[in-house]
Structure formats: structure tokens, C-alpha cells
């Protein structure tokens, strides 16, 4: 695997290091030892999958509050998404800053999102599927969210008029 830092400390792009031949390629998408050597939380307590029928579907921005804050490894296993990580660590120099990456079934890229970040994505193709590995189990009482179009973040989503749940559309403006 190849680990690439981003403009926001702690947020890491993970690429599969391919071993190719006439059959195609083989590569590891996760290795606890390599993650630990890279300083990333390698615990996997829960895995989830999200299927999204329509292009433009937007899910986010979500996170779990302390003491249940989670690290996530996010990968697109079918279709394509624009994946966004939002720094919500109050003491961070990049507090309220976001970055987005295109994750596709073809590029096999993943995004490691550390605790203290909000996460969301928008599908770029019909029938997109997203696979998540989380460091801690989901705790409903710790679930938090910010509105996908909150002006304090000014996230530039690629598809106009997104398909958004009532819950995601109904979050109040973010208050630190």
C-alpha cells in the first residue's frame, strides 16, 4: 500500500500497490501492520456498506462524538463518489477546512479519516457502493451531523440538486 498525506494533517489517501500481470493485478487494500507503521489506527470494529441508486446522492456530513469518535477507511467498490473529509478538531490549524477526493471502483483509492472529522460523499454515478471500515462500533447516541450545504464550510459538491435525506437536510448551522 502507498500512503499519501493531504493538506489536512492526519487525513491520508491510501492507494493499492498493484502487482500486475496478464491476468490483471493483485494488491492489499488493508494491512494492520502497515497502517500501524504509518501511524494510523488499524483497529477494525465494524464494517458497513452503502448502496446508492442515483447519481447525485449525497450522504453527510456525519461523525461520532467523544468518547466514541471513530477513524474510518472509506473505499468506493462500485461506481464513483466525491468523498469529503471535514476537520472538526477545534484545536487544529485546519479547523472547519475540508478536502475532497474522487474515489472510484476503478482507481481502488481509499481515504483514511481520523477521529475528529466529519465525513460525507456524493455519488458521481448510478449504483455506487461505498465500503467503510470503522475503528469503533456505531453508537446511536454519539451520532452527530452538519448540514451538507452549511455556509460555514462552503463545500463545493460536484452535482447540483443532490438527493439528500430529510435528516441530512435538517441539521442546524454548525456551532463549534
Amino acid at each position: 500500500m502507498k500512503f499519501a498525506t493531504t493538506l489536512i494533517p492526519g487525513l491520508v489517501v491510501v492507494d493499492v500497490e498493484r502487482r500486475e500481470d496478464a491476468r490483471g493485478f493483485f494488491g492489499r487494500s488493508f494491512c494492520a501492520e502497515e497502517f500501524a507503521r504509518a501511524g494510523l489506527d488499524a483497529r477494525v470494529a465494524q464494517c458497513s456498506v452503502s448502496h446508492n441508486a442515483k447519481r447525485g446522492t449525497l450522504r453527510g456530513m456525519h461523525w461520532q462524538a467523544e468518547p466514541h469518535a471513530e477513524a474510518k477507511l472509506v473505499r468506493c467498490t462500485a461506481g464513483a463518489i466525491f468523498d469529503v473529509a471535514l476537520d472538526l478538531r477545534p484545536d487544529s490549524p485546519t479547523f472547519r477546512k475540508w478536502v475532497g477526493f474522487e474515489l472510484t471502483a476503478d482507481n481502488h483509492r481509499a481515504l483514511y479519516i481520523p477521529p475528529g472529522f466529519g465525513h460525507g460523499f456524493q455519488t458521481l454515478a448510478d449504483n455506487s457502493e461505498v465500503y467503510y471500515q470503522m475503528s469503533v462500533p456505531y453508537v446511536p447516541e454519539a451520532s452527530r451531523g452538519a448540514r451538507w450545504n452549511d455556509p460555514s464550510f462552503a463545500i463545493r459538491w460536484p452535482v447540483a440538486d443532490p438527493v439528500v435525506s430529510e435528516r441530512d437536510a435538517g441539521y442546524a448551522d454548525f456551532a463549534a
Side-chain angles (χ1 to χ4, degrees), residues 14-32:
V14 182
D15 284 310
V16 172
E17 195 166 2
R18 298 175 180 217
R19 306 281 189 251
E20 297 188 41
D21 63 25
R23 300 168 294 174
F25 78 88
F26 176 85
R28 283 186 291 174
S29 60
F30 178 79
C31 174

Side-chain angles (χ1 to χ4, degrees), residues 47-160:
C47 298
S48 298
V49 65
S50 167
H51 178 264
N52 305 275
K54 299 280 186 194
R55 177 183 185 272
T57 298
L58 197 149
R59 295 180 186 259
M61 302 298 293
H62 305 140
W63 65 93
Q64 285 198 157
E66 291 291 353
H68 306 286
E70 62 191 354
K72 290 182 183 178
L73 183 64
V74 181
R75 179 179 312 280
C76 181
T77 54
I81 64 171
F82 180 69
D83 202 56
V84 173
L86 171 65
D87 190 349
L88 296 174
R89 302 170 296 181
D91 297 334
S92 171
T94 55
F95 180 60
R96 293 189 184 191
K97 302 291 184 211
W98 65 273
V99 291
F101 298 90
E102 191 169 307
L103 307 180
T104 72
D106 292 334
N107 72 17
H108 305 282
R109 174 167 278 174
L111 187 62
Y112 173 85
I113 304 167
F117 279 70
H119 172 255
F121 66 86
Q122 186 175 44
T123 59
L124 302 174
D126 289 346
N127 293 310
S128 291
E129 184 176 272
V130 181
Y131 181 75
Y132 307 80
Q133 293 171 235
M134 281 83 63
S135 62
V136 298
Y138 176 69
V139 177
E141 304 79 44
S143 180
R144 301 290 186 273
R147 202 174 57 257
W148 64 277
N149 61 351
D150 189 312
S152 65
F153 309 131
I155 298 170
R156 293 183 302 278
W157 298 103
V159 180

